[in-house]
Amino acid sequence: MPGPGYAFLGTEEAANVEAVLKDWQLTRYSYDKPETTSFVLRFEQAVQSLFDVPHAVAVNSGTSALITALAAIGVGPGDEVIVPGYTFIASIGSIVYSGATPVLAEIDESLTLDPRDVEAKITPSTKAIMAVHMLGAPCDLAALREIAQRHDLAIVEDVAQACGGSYRGRRLGTHGTVGAFSLNPFKVITSGEGGFVLTSDAHLYQRGYSFQDQGWFPLRTDTGDGDILFGLNLRMPELSGAVACAQLDKLDEVLAATRSVKHAVAARIPARDGVRRRTLHDREGECGTLLIHIFDHPADATSVADALGTKTMLHSGRHYYGNMPQLAALTDGTASPAPFRAPGTESKHDYRRGSLPQTDDILARAVAISIGVSDSYLGAGYGVTVQATESDIERAADQFTATVDAVLG
């Protein structure tokens, strides 16, 4: 079971899908049935209500959401976008495909951007900060917003792994200039494949909508206020919209479950020397999908992870910059890992493993207990499901505690 939303798939999603199949209305545009309201449009309207934002654009993936967000704010060649070295590769890939240059920044023990390093990486070419709310928990948005305002930068919130989470009482994705979300099977809620973009700015909404639908103005009008763009086809299919509508209705129910199970697991694991919990910038607002422990020494983290049949976060596939061969290719300039882009463009930047020593060190010492996110590639190979019973919780917590005690002595 990949993500917590998967466990909540049921009759509501099935009924919506059956409604789509009944009339074979597979696209959001009901050309011959103007009285029909598509599920994709209903989803956008429901997102606007739930997140209390005036504009939402549904797209076909979280990656599409990111590149749509970048297109909306006008990121392009000559621009730099600061992004953490610990994130899924799509965050960095979307910057590369926009024609801009990704500038990697360190994380801190929240496993999100370290504001101090973000500020150190700002240059005259910096256009935006991509604030990735990694592993269900918010970045230090207060610090990042202060930096962005002082340097006149946009903030793109990558909320792929934290849909529904909040920071200081406001949903994630509504604090920055634009917010980008994923609905793939490993996320908090899912539509199979899909994503969406949020913004409070009408002009950015127009640009985002036009970019994801071949340059049409919002709701596919021929003319309108805003910019004329060449767009792509990144639209959310109607079947995905049908599932997304039902899942969005369950978002707070899903989060209540993950948070409850996480608190129960955490309560059974005592504090001790040699290991501590991940820093959280908003304990009430995090999604509760993972419980992260950071050890004092990498060797201890590796021993605990090995004993539990999982791995440290340093080995979480293409979530760690050092495991992205595409970045190494950008660094040495001998090949172009991005079609439509000249080789050697990023030769002045060092993306090789070791270029972010603080990030390397923290990830080597971090071990995750999954709470409903069963994704070994993410490093979430040990834990419980969102439907865990009390005995499941006790077993997982007690095994983790016993393993830590055996390793640390």
Side-chain angles (χ1 to χ4, degrees), residues 255-274:
L255 289 174
T258 57
R259 288 164 175 165
S260 176
V261 172
K262 179 185 175 181
H263 292 158
V265 172
R268 289 191 63 89
I269 299 175
R272 61 154 296 157
D273 292 340

Side-chain angles (χ1 to χ4, degrees), residues 26 47 103 108 133 144 146 174 272 278 281 289 306 331 346 375 378 391:
L26 299 179
V47 164
V103 176
D108 57 25
H133 304 301
L144 293 176
E146 190 278 329
T174 67
R272 61 154 296 157
R278 166 195 195 179
H281 297 298
T289 48
D306 288 348
T331 297
E346 268 71 54
D375 184 0
L378 181 64
S391 62

Side-chain angles (χ1 to χ4, degrees), residues 8-170:
F8 286 78
L9 290 170
T11 56
E12 298 84 1
E13 290 83 356
N16 285 0
V17 169
E18 288 171 6
V20 173
L21 296 178
K22 180 180 178 181
D23 295 325
W24 291 109
Q25 189 65 50
L26 299 179
T27 173
R28 68 177 292 165
Y29 298 115
S30 304
Y31 300 104
D32 56 348
K33 296 181 180 179
E35 75 283 357
T36 301
T37 301
S38 76
F39 278 105
V40 175
L41 179 57
R42 291 184 222 176
F43 175 70
E44 289 173 341
Q45 293 170 339
V47 164
Q48 289 165 197
S49 176
L50 183 63
F51 286 79
D52 193 24
V53 292
H55 306 294
V57 180
V59 292
N60 58 13
S61 73
T63 305
S64 294
L66 286 166
I67 199 164
T68 296
L70 292 171
I73 63 175
V75 168
D79 294 330
E80 294 179 347
V81 179
I82 297 173
V83 62
Y86 179 53
T87 182
F88 186 55
I89 193 171
S91 307
I92 299 169
S94 65
I95 298 167
V96 172
Y97 268 103
S98 75
T101 299
V103 176
L104 304 188
E106 300 274 19
I107 62 168
D108 57 25
E109 289 199 355
S110 69
L111 302 191
T112 66
L113 277 172
D114 182 344
R116 295 172 301 175
D117 196 50
V118 168
E119 184 140 35
K121 297 291 173 65
I122 293 173
T123 74
S125 297
T126 307
K127 177 89 170 188
I129 299 166
M130 186 174 285
V132 183
H133 304 301
M134 197 65 178
L135 306 181
C139 297
D140 187 350
L141 282 166
L144 293 176
R145 288 182 68 184
E146 190 278 329
I147 292 169
Q149 289 168 2
R150 189 154 33 84
H151 294 275
D152 193 25
L153 304 176
I155 291 181
V156 177
E157 289 184 72
D158 181 342
V159 203
Q161 296 187 13
C163 183
S166 62
Y167 179 78
R168 298 185 180 179
R170 283 177 50 201

Side-chain angles (χ1 to χ4, degrees), residues 88 311 313 315-319 323 374-381:
F88 186 55
K311 53 195 173 186
M313 310 311 285
H315 299 93
S316 55
R318 292 181 184 181
H319 297 88
N323 292 332
S374 303
D375 184 0
S376 60
Y377 194 74
L378 181 64

Side-chain angles (χ1 to χ4, degrees), residues 272-275 294-307 312 364-367 403-404 406-409:
R272 61 154 296 157
D273 292 340
V275 62
I294 300 176
F295 291 79
D296 288 350
H297 304 291
D300 294 335
T302 298
S303 295
V304 169
D306 288 348
T312 68
R365 295 186 287 113
V367 177
T403 302
V404 170
V407 170
L408 298 185

Side-chain angles (χ1 to χ4, degrees), residues 90-390:
S91 307
I92 299 169
S94 65
I95 298 167
V96 172
Y97 268 103
S98 75
T101 299
V103 176
L104 304 188
E106 300 274 19
I107 62 168
D108 57 25
E109 289 199 355
S110 69
L111 302 191
T112 66
L113 277 172
D114 182 344
R116 295 172 301 175
D117 196 50
V118 168
E119 184 140 35
K121 297 291 173 65
I122 293 173
T123 74
S125 297
T126 307
K127 177 89 170 188
I129 299 166
M130 186 174 285
V132 183
H133 304 301
M134 197 65 178
L135 306 181
C139 297
D140 187 350
L141 282 166
L144 293 176
R145 288 182 68 184
E146 190 278 329
I147 292 169
Q149 289 168 2
R150 189 154 33 84
H151 294 275
D152 193 25
L153 304 176
I155 291 181
V156 177
E157 289 184 72
D158 181 342
V159 203
Q161 296 187 13
C163 183
S166 62
Y167 179 78
R168 298 185 180 179
R170 283 177 50 201
R171 300 268 189 182
L172 300 178
T174 67
H175 296 261
T177 315
V178 282
F181 295 74
S182 173
L183 297 170
N184 85 14
F186 293 95
K187 301 306 187 286
V188 177
I189 57 172
T190 183
S191 60
E193 296 290 353
F196 58 99
V197 180
L198 301 181
T199 185
S200 294
D201 186 293
H203 182 220
L204 299 185
Y205 165 64
Q206 177 267 312
R207 286 181 59 87
Y209 191 101
S210 295
F211 181 77
Q212 61 86 42
D213 191 12
Q214 302 291 10
W216 295 93
F217 284 86
L219 304 184
R220 230 179 203 204
T221 56
D222 285 314
T223 60
D225 295 329
D227 299 333
I228 297 174
L229 302 177
F230 279 109
L232 301 174
N233 177 4
L234 307 178
R235 300 189 303 271
M236 175 182 278
E238 186 71 350
L239 284 169
S240 295
V243 177
C245 278
Q247 282 272 291
L248 190 69
D249 285 342
K250 301 174 182 180
L251 176 58
D252 286 336
E253 181 184 0
V254 173
L255 289 174
T258 57
R259 288 164 175 165
S260 176
V261 172
K262 179 185 175 181
H263 292 158
V265 172
R268 289 191 63 89
I269 299 175
R272 61 154 296 157
D273 292 340
V275 62
R276 57 194 170 280
R277 301 257 168 91
R278 166 195 195 179
T279 298
L280 294 174
H281 297 298
D282 190 320
R283 291 185 178 277
E284 298 302 317
E286 68 128 351
C287 295
T289 48
L290 292 125
L291 175 60
I292 312 296
H293 287 81
I294 300 176
F295 291 79
D296 288 350
H297 304 291
D300 294 335
T302 298
S303 295
V304 169
D306 288 348
L308 294 173
T310 186
K311 53 195 173 186
T312 68
M313 310 311 285
L314 189 69
H315 299 93
S316 55
R318 292 181 184 181
H319 297 88
Y320 163 57
Y321 78 98
N323 292 332
M324 300 179 193
Q326 298 89 341
L327 279 173
L330 283 178
T331 297
D332 60 33
T334 58
S336 178
F340 322 120
R341 192 180 181 97
T345 305
E346 268 71 54
S347 59
K348 69 175 182 176
H349 291 274
D350 187 358
Y351 301 119
R352 292 170 296 187
R353 186 185 295 238
S355 62
L356 296 176
Q358 178 174 294
T359 296
D360 298 348
D361 173 60
I362 292 169
L363 294 178
R365 295 186 287 113
V367 177
I369 300 176
S370 68
I371 310 293
V373 179
S374 303
D375 184 0
S376 60
Y377 194 74
L378 181 64
Y382 174 84
V384 295
T385 72
V386 71
Q387 299 169 319
T389 65
E390 185 175 342

